[in-house]
Amino acid sequence: MTNIRGIVAAMLTPMNRDESINVAELRSQTERMIGAGMHGLFCLGTSGEAYALEEREKIRVIAEVVDRCAGRVPVYAGCGCVTTAETVRLAKAAERIGADVLSVICPYFAVASQEELYRHFMEVADAVHIPVVLYNMPARTGVNLDVDTVGRLSKAGNIAGIKDSSGNFDQILQLIENTADDFAVLSGNDSLVLWTLQAGGKGGICAIANLFPQTMASIYELWRQGEFTKAKEAQDSIRAIRRLLKLGNPNTMVKLTANLIGQPVGPCRKPFWTEDQRLIDEISRVLKEHYGIRVDGKEWGYV
């Protein structure tokens, strides 16, 4: 079983201007994340725009990340689709390609009952032989994966953890309290990573790692070394950039910011994209005032 712990980068999927996948930049970002000390790479999550990619594109992304990573850190592949059959098909493909862990989000749009969710996740887990991490994000899926349901699922042999993006820290505490010690509870909210670790969780899957990967990785490493004060300083340092996510679609804001700091990850797929100059100016201001990063918001672009 893969050791599920630490800071896992919720990787962006780089795009060209025509919205095709920028494979060269995807491989470059994979290298950048590993070099910055990430403990794992998560492709095809919310930040990776899995909802906007075709199945063949998802398979290409997984294959490129696995190939470039070459076993240096675990690769988590997002496989959650609306139907169980689609999810199983993509999960099996990811396993064949060489992904180390599967991340499976709750089916979305049509709201499933807790029993339906239980059966969905169990069928996916039974179809593969690698660890499965549940992905709870009620704001996007319209359904919250209850603590009791997670408790039932945690008893399955290869359902090894959960990424909880509810933003509800009490729920994270309950997940930790109601699952075994070897079940990995990961924060999907970057602001709660340190507190999740303190409570007994195993780390976080983080979108801000696309912007400040060394900072995010250091939260875990400093905490592991017993340097709580320094770990808290690193955790607190992302607050200003996190506030920017409220100004628009968080995926858009992260990609805009990444481009502005010199990472040519391109646009999000429309309609989830904007180049509103007011947003660019505000991001530029925050980068300068809080992080000492000077960018010219009037002269920016991407490959």
Side-chain angles (χ1 to χ4, degrees):
M1 275 292 215
T2 299
N3 187 9
I4 297 172
R5 51 94 190 173
I7 306 301
V8 179
M11 292 181 64
L12 300 171
T13 300
M15 304 276 182
N16 298 302
R17 280 194 177 272
D18 64 0
E19 298 187 1
S20 62
I21 295 172
N22 185 337
V23 173
E25 188 58 29
L26 176 63
R27 293 175 71 86
S28 177
Q29 290 298 318
T30 299
E31 198 64 45
R32 175 176 170 243
M33 293 297 113
I34 295 172
M38 286 292 111
H39 305 96
L41 306 179
F42 174 29
C43 57
L44 300 178
T46 305
S47 297
E49 299 176 74
Y51 54 83
L53 301 181
E54 298 176 7
E55 185 172 304
R56 62 178 178 80
E57 293 177 312
K58 294 178 183 180
I59 290 171
R60 179 73 186 278
V61 167
I62 297 168
E64 294 292 346
V65 174
V66 167
D67 180 70
R68 186 63 180 179
C69 186
R72 287 176 288 174
V73 298
V75 174
Y76 296 59
C79 295
C81 301
V82 174
T83 68
T84 304
E86 290 176 290
T87 305
V88 166
R89 186 169 64 244
L90 186 55
K92 287 181 174 180
E95 182 177 30
R96 285 194 301 270
I97 291 166
D100 300 286
V101 182
L102 303 178
S103 172
V104 183
I105 197 166
C106 294
Y108 41 91
F109 192 81
V111 178
S113 70
Q114 293 299 307
E115 184 60 29
E116 288 168 332
L117 290 172
Y118 174 80
R119 293 200 302 267
H120 170 78
F121 286 115
M122 287 299 298
E123 189 167 334
V124 175
D126 287 343
V128 295
H129 303 90
I130 57 177
V132 172
V133 170
L134 311 171
Y135 183 0
N136 185 43
M137 196 177 199
R140 302 288 184 102
T141 64
V143 61
N144 184 60
L145 190 56
D146 289 350
V147 172
D148 289 345
T149 306
V150 175
R152 291 174 66 196
L153 290 166
S154 71
K155 295 177 173 62
N158 62 328
I159 297 183
I162 183 170
K163 174 189 177 183
D164 186 83
S165 297
S166 66
N168 181 348
F169 187 59
D170 184 64
Q171 177 155 300
I172 288 178
L173 293 176
Q174 290 183 57
L175 289 169
I176 293 168
E177 292 165 1
N178 288 278
T179 55
D181 290 344
D182 61 353
F183 185 82
V185 176
L186 304 168
S187 174
N189 184 312
D190 294 23
S191 297
L192 297 176
V193 171
L194 179 58
W195 313 114
T196 298
L197 288 167
Q198 282 289 96
K202 298 296 193 280
I205 299 179
C206 304
I208 297 301
N210 292 288
L211 307 177
F212 303 127
Q214 290 93 344
T215 299
M216 296 309 301
S218 74
I219 295 172
Y220 180 81
E221 290 299 332
L222 289 166
W223 171 84
R224 186 177 62 83
Q225 296 161 17
E227 298 280 358
F228 177 80
T229 299
K230 292 181 179 179
K232 186 174 181 298
E233 289 174 359
Q235 177 71 82
D236 291 346
S237 72
I238 68 169
R239 187 171 294 129
I241 206 74
R242 284 274 301 166
R243 287 197 189 110
L244 287 175
L245 303 187
K246 298 178 181 178
L247 300 181
N249 182 326
N251 299 10
T252 303
M253 299 305 294
V254 172
K255 264 195 169 176
L256 274 173
T257 306
N259 283 294
L260 283 166
I261 63 174
Q263 301 299 325
V265 294
C268 295
R269 281 192 172 164
K270 295 175 183 176
F272 311 106
W273 182 242
T274 180
E275 295 179 17
D276 187 325
Q277 190 62 50
R278 292 169 298 179
L279 288 179
I280 293 169
D281 290 345
E282 179 61 12
I283 294 169
S284 301
R285 183 191 67 79
V286 169
L287 287 172
K288 177 182 176 182
E289 292 184 7
H290 293 272
Y291 303 100
I293 300 173
R294 294 178 178 272
V295 297
D296 187 347
K298 302 292 190 295
E299 297 179 11
W300 75 288
Y302 44 82
V303 175

